[in-house]
Amino acid sequence: MRAIVRGKVWLVGAGPGDPELLTVKAARLIGDADVLAYDELVSAEILALGRSDAERIAVGRRASGCRHHEAKIHPEVILAALAGKTVVRLKGGDPFVFGRGGEEAEELAAARVPFEVVPGISAALGAAAQMHIPLTHRDCAASVTFATAHAREGEGRPLLSVVPLDGTLVLYMGLGRLAAICEDLLAQGRSADTPACVVSNATRPNAKSVFATLGTLAAVASATEIEAPAIVMVGEVVGKRVESPVAVALASSRSRVAS
Ligand code: SAH
């Protein structure tokens, strides 16, 4: 009897953009893969880490021409794995944070394709680190909630009805509905003075941010024409942002000590 050789699909988190924020494991798998299947959030620099002879397939929702179809792993991913290839399915951030990784895993299991999942740095973590915003803080935030502001088509429930009223809130996919989101949060009882910000293209060379309050964020963000992909952070921690002293000042104080 001949054994059936199956390949494998790795659902790999590519992080928020900066290639240096890939995990060591993700970088190794990308360098080894026969097939790289990626979505639109994965940067060209990261794809360049793949073998020159690796097949590269754009499988994102935008690539398929329809942004709101039901999540389905691209048929070529399954076919390549069934043909014995090693496929890295690269997803922006972490595969299991609003990445539909769970749905892709279900489909791989149904097709009897072996798979493994490699975590990545989610956009909230990349943005918080870049902006020096602690997501929790002993003075003011004992919890952090990651939520999406984007409902499935046809779902009537108010989007933010389930988020806690205190602690830090990080909203993915919220930029397009920013004014409505801020209104919802104010109506729920968050104070208009609550510090809030939008961070777009976090950890990438074109990163942009705007800082305001829950009461003013929508107007400030639209005035600066900040663009997607962006996350929205709301909570006292946004006001706990710490500026780093500039390195030059440190060098001169050192030389003063030395002289
Ligand atoms: N799995 C991804 C999220 C996918 S949903 C993760 O863990 O990060 C897509 C949303 O993620 C975007 O609409 C945006 O809200 C956010 N996002 C992804 N990359 C981002 C980046 N570099 N900067 C800011 N937001 C980003």
Side-chain angles (χ1 to χ4, degrees), residues 92-185:
D94 181 89
F96 281 174
V97 178
F98 305 121
R100 304 187 180 205
E103 287 148 276
E104 296 203 7
E106 282 167 18
E107 290 199 14
L108 291 167
R112 305 197 57 73
V113 172
F115 68 90
E116 279 191 57
V117 183
V118 178
I121 293 182
S122 196
L125 305 180
Q130 185 176 25
M131 295 298 138
H132 305 173
I133 296 170
L135 288 172
T136 61
H137 196 294
R138 280 194 296 170
D139 291 349
C140 59
S143 70
V144 51
T145 303
F146 294 171
T148 175
H150 193 92
R152 262 191 198 217
E153 219 97 314
E155 269 179 21
R157 195 183 57 176
L159 283 174
L160 300 177
S161 58
V162 289
V163 302
L165 283 175
D166 56 9
T168 306
L169 179 59
V170 184
L171 292 165
Y172 287 68
M173 296 174 273
L175 190 60
R177 300 189 62 252
L178 188 56
I181 288 165
C182 293
E183 271 168 34
D184 279 2
L185 294 174

Side-chain angles (χ1 to χ4, degrees), residues 13 15-18 39-41 61-62 67 91-101 120-127 130 146-148 171-175 198-204 206-208 227-232:
D18 178 353
D39 62 35
E40 65 274 1
L41 285 175
R61 284 175 292 148
R62 275 163 223 175
R67 294 184 53 187
K91 297 174 92 54
D94 181 89
F96 281 174
V97 178
F98 305 121
R100 304 187 180 205
I121 293 182
S122 196
L125 305 180
Q130 185 176 25
F146 294 171
T148 175
L171 292 165
Y172 287 68
M173 296 174 273
L175 190 60
V198 176
V199 184
S200 99
N201 285 299
T203 82
R204 299 181 188 167
N206 57 340
K208 248 181 141 185
E227 285 175 354
I231 53 160
V232 181

